[in-house]
């Protein structure tokens, strides 16, 4: 397959004009635990310039943030996101002054240890007694933590009547614990409750599977942490998509065991991201080839019913994909996805907002890939990337 054409700085990567040029506006939120504060900053940044999604798709912590967005009116969404992230960081609210950054790694370790031993307010609490002493087959025997506090938080901060009756579609990725199949709960065809959000974030063995209609579900991230494929399969889609990933496939070569474990986590949980993009590229290349072949057919064959079906598939709606990847180093090493200190939450939120501003103010910082058939991918590049794709 020929390499896609890439240009830098030739067109605005993210602008009001782009918003108006597409029928749909879609927000994709990857899973990543405490790293989900980055989603909050990104959403604040894009909301400030008028990006109001009509479809939000999330996995794991992305599902929680997605529910907070869809389950509130536009003017309250940022406040609700802030309220959630303020609550979950309430157990470690102290923020070191800048002159004491040398102590940050130690403070982060303490915050992560606190989450492990005492849980996170409004999110999860440790089981007492531990699961080893629970009755086999019970939910208490299948996880170290109880996530019922999250149910109470969701029911307080999310209006599920709005989720199911509003103008914004919500889709949440999970995995059927029995069949191993990837499943998306979608307001387009079912009623979404707090249980569906919790199921999307039920990462074992920390969190228990969640029962819905007689089936049990795990965190969608254990199969694929990136919801792009679920959205991109509709070739008729005319959309501007903002995809926000919390783990980066790119990184420096590790220098110690902790860094090795961090890289393994990054690579594991950015799972399927590169596969998804490669698949989109391959499909669009195939679609272009199909259109060229059909154009060469004689007129009498082009009226054939089967050829007309192929002709419909050979075209797609215009698609612009803005890809943002969290590259913020919070000094939390391999425990960064369960380190909920206020300092880390604030830093991640600011990083998300800053990345949006970089795209808005410096479009030349984006690598633009034109995949043909009206499909464009905008990826914010970092100095360490050396032109590589995230």
């Amino acid at each position: 397959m020929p390499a896609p054409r890439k240009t830098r700085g030739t067109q605005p990567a993210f602008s009001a004009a782009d918003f108006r040029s597409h029928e749909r506006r879609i927000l994709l939120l990857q899973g990543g635990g405490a790293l989900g504060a980055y989603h909050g900053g990104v959403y604040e940044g894009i909301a400030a310039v008028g990006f109001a999604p009509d479809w939000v798709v999330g996995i794991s912590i992305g599902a929680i943030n997605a529910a907070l967005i869809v389950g509130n009116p536009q003017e309250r969404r940022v406040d609700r996101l802030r309220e959630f992230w303020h609550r979950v960081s309430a157990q470690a609210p102290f923020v070191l002054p800048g002159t004491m950054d040398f102590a940050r790694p130690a403070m982060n370790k303490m915050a992560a240890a606190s989450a492990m031993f005492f849980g996170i307010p409004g999110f999860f609490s440790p089981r007492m007694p531990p699961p080893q002493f629970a009755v086999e087959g019970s939910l208490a025997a299948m996880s170290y933590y109880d996530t019922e506090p999250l149910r109470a938080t969701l029911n307080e901060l999310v209006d599920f009547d709005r989720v199911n009756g509003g103008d914004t579609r919500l889709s949440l990725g999970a995995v059927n614990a029995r069949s191993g199949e990837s499943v998306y709960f979608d307001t387009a065809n079912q009623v979404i409750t707090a249980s569906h959000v919790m199921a999307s974030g039920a990462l074992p063995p920390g969190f228990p599977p969640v029962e819905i209609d007689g089936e049990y579900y795990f965190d969608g991230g254990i199969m694929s942490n990136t919801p792009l494929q679920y959205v991109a399969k509709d070739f008729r889609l005319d959309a501007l998509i903002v995809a926000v990933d919390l783990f980066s496939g790119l990184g420096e070569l590790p220098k110690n065991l902790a860094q090795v474990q961090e890289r393994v986590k990054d690579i594991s949980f950015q799972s399927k991201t590169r596969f998804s993009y490669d698949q989109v590229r391959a499909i669009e290349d195939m679609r272009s080839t199909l259109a060229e072949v059909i154009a060469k057919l004689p007129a009498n064959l082009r009226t054939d019913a089967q050829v007309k079906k192929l002709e419909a598939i050979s075209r797609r709606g215009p698609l612009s994909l803005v890809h943002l990847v969290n590259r913020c180093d919070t000094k939390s090493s391999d425990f960064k996805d369960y380190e909920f200190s206020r300092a880390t939450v604030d830093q991640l939120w600011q990083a998300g907002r800053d990345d949006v501003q970089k795209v808005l103010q410096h479009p030349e910082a984006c690598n633009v890939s034109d995949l043909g058939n009206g499909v464009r991918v905008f990826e914010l590049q970092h100095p360490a990337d050396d032109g590589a794709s995230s």
Side-chain angles (χ1 to χ4, degrees), residues 181-199:
E181 295 178 9
S182 177
V183 175
Y184 274 87
F185 308 120
D186 197 321
T187 54
N189 50 49
Q190 68 189 115
V191 173
I192 297 292
T193 67
S195 291
H196 296 86
V197 183
M198 293 168 66

Side-chain angles (χ1 to χ4, degrees), residues 287-297 314:
R287 210 188 302 274
S288 297
T289 302
L290 180 60
E292 292 172 1
V293 170
I294 292 174
K296 295 176 181 178
L297 292 176
S314 72

Side-chain angles (χ1 to χ4, degrees), residues 97-372:
T99 55
M100 296 183 64
D101 275 351
F102 66 91
R104 179 72 180 278
M107 295 291 290
N108 290 352
K109 285 184 180 180
M110 291 173 61
S114 174
M116 287 184 64
F117 290 110
F118 304 110
I120 292 296
F123 198 160
F124 59 89
S125 57
R127 293 197 181 277
M128 293 296 174
Q132 294 85 350
F133 299 97
V135 176
E136 185 171 341
S138 66
L139 290 181
M142 290 190 278
S143 67
Y144 290 103
Y145 301 97
D146 178 9
T147 53
E148 284 304 306
L150 176 59
R151 185 186 302 278
T153 298
L154 289 170
N155 283 327
E156 178 185 350
L157 300 182
V158 176
D159 180 350
F160 283 98
D161 287 337
R162 176 179 289 274
V163 166
N164 293 293
D167 298 326
T168 306
R169 180 178 174 184
L170 177 64
S171 305
L172 311 173
V175 174
N176 186 303
R178 181 184 55 81
S179 69
E181 295 178 9
S182 177
V183 175
Y184 274 87
F185 308 120
D186 197 321
T187 54
N189 50 49
Q190 68 189 115
V191 173
I192 297 292
T193 67
S195 291
H196 296 86
V197 183
M198 293 168 66
S200 182
L203 184 63
F207 300 160
V210 175
E211 186 270 333
I212 298 172
D213 297 330
E215 293 285 353
Y216 286 82
Y217 296 91
F218 284 135
D219 189 308
I222 65 176
M223 175 168 284
S224 176
N225 203 29
T226 303
L228 177 61
Q229 285 178 293
Y230 182 68
V231 170
K233 65 184 180 181
D234 182 359
F235 66 88
R236 297 162 299 180
L237 196 64
D238 175 350
L240 169 65
I241 300 176
V242 178
V244 191
D245 292 353
L246 300 180
F247 293 96
S248 173
L250 286 175
E252 297 181 0
L253 185 67
K255 297 181 177 65
N256 54 51
L257 186 58
Q259 291 179 6
V260 168
Q261 292 171 325
E262 181 180 11
R263 284 301 297 141
V264 169
K265 184 170 287 188
D266 285 343
I267 293 168
S268 297
F269 284 101
Q270 64 89 41
S271 63
K272 307 284 193 306
T273 299
R274 290 178 180 173
F275 174 79
S276 295
Y277 283 98
D278 288 345
Q279 188 177 55
V280 169
R281 289 185 174 98
I283 289 173
E284 294 314 317
D285 183 64
M286 186 182 304
R287 210 188 302 274
S288 297
T289 302
L290 180 60
E292 292 172 1
V293 170
I294 292 174
K296 295 176 181 178
L297 292 176
N300 64 316
L301 287 180
R302 294 185 64 178
T303 60
D304 182 84
Q306 297 300 320
V307 173
K308 283 187 173 296
K309 286 183 179 180
L310 291 175
E311 187 175 18
I313 294 172
S314 72
R315 299 188 302 269
R316 72 157 302 139
L319 193 69
S320 295
L321 175 63
V322 179
H323 186 207
L324 297 173
V325 182
N326 170 38
R327 302 291 295 277
C328 178
D329 182 7
T330 60
K331 309 299 182 186
S332 299
S333 188
D334 58 314
F335 51 84
K336 60 187 177 183
D337 53 333
Y338 60 93
E339 195 274 282
F340 286 86
S341 70
R342 182 68 52 76
T344 291
V345 164
D346 288 349
Q347 183 181 358
L348 286 164
W349 187 290
Q350 185 64 47
R353 191 166 51 191
D354 287 348
D355 281 352
V356 171
Q357 288 302 310
K358 289 174 188 174
V359 175
L360 286 168
Q361 298 173 9
H362 303 286
E364 71 279 1
C366 283
N367 188 53
V368 185
S369 300
D370 186 343
L371 307 185

Side-chain angles (χ1 to χ4, degrees), residues 76-87:
R76 297 189 65 188
R77 289 172 173 177
V78 173
D79 289 340
R80 284 305 201 189
L81 285 165
R82 283 194 177 279
E83 171 64 18
F84 173 80
W85 287 100
H86 184 86
R87 290 189 188 191

Side-chain angles (χ1 to χ4, degrees), residues 8-22:
R8 282 183 179 273
T10 58
Q11 54 188 310
F14 196 75
S15 66
D18 275 327
F19 297 161
R20 292 190 294 268
S21 66
H22 294 283

